Amino acid sequence: MSGHSKWKNIQRRKNAQDAKRGKIFMKHAKDIYIAAKQGGGDPDMNAVLRLAVDKAKSDNMPNDNIDRAIKKATGDLDGANFEELTYEGYGPGGIAVMIEVLTDNKNRTASEIRHAFSRNGGNLGENGCVSFMFDRKGYIVIDQETTEADEDTMMLEAIEAGAEEMETTDGAYEIYTDPEEFQSVKNALEESGFTLETAEVTMIPQTLSEVDDSAGNKMVNLVQMLEDMEDIQEVHHNMDASDEIMEQI
């Protein structure tokens, strides 16, 4: 994973600064809904649901909201039927973009996404056009200030927990796992007393694509338009640009 420090800095800032409370709760509710729909409504028996609930609680989502999303999925409440979809395309400057969506109206969502791409100099593509450029990984961050463990000790702890790789960057230990092993690694580290700043399964670009400021600014606008859409769960890309632009995105 070396060479991705700028991407990882973006991820940490994004997780720390993602600000719109109502939209955050809505996205968590959709994550919980789809996890419960696919694997049942008991978090103790459904690791994906447990992760979704943990992420919602970390953003202070009320328990009533969490319970309502689970009950909708299990049929205990009437509600919309959501589909989990992925859209792929190229942003300005040929940047690879992957968009994870949870929607009850895919025609509306596709139209909105297509509009965002065309307005910012990009193109919505076919499934598979950029996904090969990303790896799905479990990603865990532990701030060095929250632990007394040095790098060697942390490495041993991560390996013993089942992690694939660990890097030390910008005052943090960044741990990568196989997606299937993510929950067990997360649990093991928490049981060992570590405080996890970030813990998620996400898409990590294999390489970054550098663009000039003009394309970079258009990419910032594209990402902001996409993230403002209610149906969008996550936006992944492989852009590398000036520090000023990366700070914006």
Side-chain angles (χ1 to χ4, degrees):
M1 296 302 144
S2 59
H4 293 143
S5 59
K6 188 172 290 187
W7 173 86
K8 291 179 286 190
N9 289 337
I10 297 165
Q11 285 296 102
R12 295 182 66 199
R13 287 197 298 272
K14 181 176 183 297
N15 290 334
Q17 297 171 358
D18 219 337
K20 297 178 182 177
R21 185 181 182 89
K23 288 190 175 182
I24 289 173
F25 286 176
M26 177 63 74
K27 290 184 177 184
H28 283 313
K30 288 181 178 179
D31 279 342
I32 291 167
Y33 174 94
I34 200 71
K37 190 81 171 177
Q38 293 178 347
D42 184 355
D44 292 332
M45 303 297 293
N46 182 345
V48 177
L49 176 59
R50 184 167 64 248
L51 175 60
V53 169
D54 286 347
K55 289 177 71 174
K57 288 183 175 179
S58 72
D59 280 329
N60 299 313
M61 184 172 177
N63 288 332
D64 287 348
N65 296 37
I66 293 172
D67 292 340
R68 191 177 304 115
I70 293 173
K71 287 178 179 178
K72 281 185 178 181
T74 56
D76 294 329
L77 288 176
D78 292 332
N81 290 316
F82 291 100
E83 289 185 82
E84 192 173 19
L85 304 169
T86 301
Y87 292 90
E88 303 178 33
Y90 293 93
I95 298 300
V97 183
M98 288 188 65
I99 307 159
E100 296 182 28
V101 167
L102 197 61
T103 181
D104 60 351
N105 187 331
K106 62 182 180 181
N107 290 332
R108 177 197 67 218
T109 303
S111 176
E112 291 177 349
I113 292 173
R114 189 174 293 107
H115 172 69
F117 271 92
S118 63
R119 185 170 176 177
N120 293 285
N123 294 284
L124 187 61
E126 300 292 330
N127 284 346
C129 68
V130 301
S131 56
F132 67 93
M133 302 181 190
F134 296 81
D135 294 319
R136 194 165 189 83
K137 293 286 184 182
Y139 176 62
I140 296 170
V141 177
I142 298 173
D143 193 314
Q144 288 181 335
E145 293 185 359
T146 67
T147 177
E148 296 180 357
D150 60 22
E151 185 173 3
D152 290 341
T153 301
M154 192 69 247
M155 177 71 78
L156 291 174
E157 291 277 0
I159 292 173
E160 187 173 337
E164 290 184 338
E165 186 177 355
M166 189 197 86
E167 290 185 356
T168 305
T169 56
D170 299 316
Y173 299 122
E174 298 183 333
I175 298 165
Y176 298 88
T177 79
D178 183 284
E180 299 298 323
E181 300 298 324
F182 169 77
Q183 192 65 46
S184 62
V185 174
K186 175 179 178 290
N187 291 345
L189 291 172
E190 288 178 329
E191 289 169 4
S192 295
F194 294 104
T195 299
L196 311 186
E197 178 182 311
T198 299
E200 61 184 356
V201 176
T202 189
M203 302 298 294
I204 298 176
Q206 296 170 0
T207 59
L208 298 178
S209 181
E210 188 171 358
V211 295
D212 61 22
D213 285 356
S214 176
N217 282 317
K218 290 179 181 178
M219 186 65 190
V220 170
N221 291 334
L222 172 59
V223 171
Q224 289 176 346
M225 281 187 69
L226 291 170
E227 290 189 338
D228 280 342
M229 297 176 190
E230 186 175 291
D231 294 335
I232 306 301
Q233 297 297 101
E234 295 288 345
V235 179
H236 310 285
H237 62 84
N238 70 341
M239 182 175 76
D240 188 9
S242 66
D243 289 341
E244 291 79 5
I245 288 174
M246 299 308 280
E247 286 285 350
Q248 293 180 59
I249 204 164

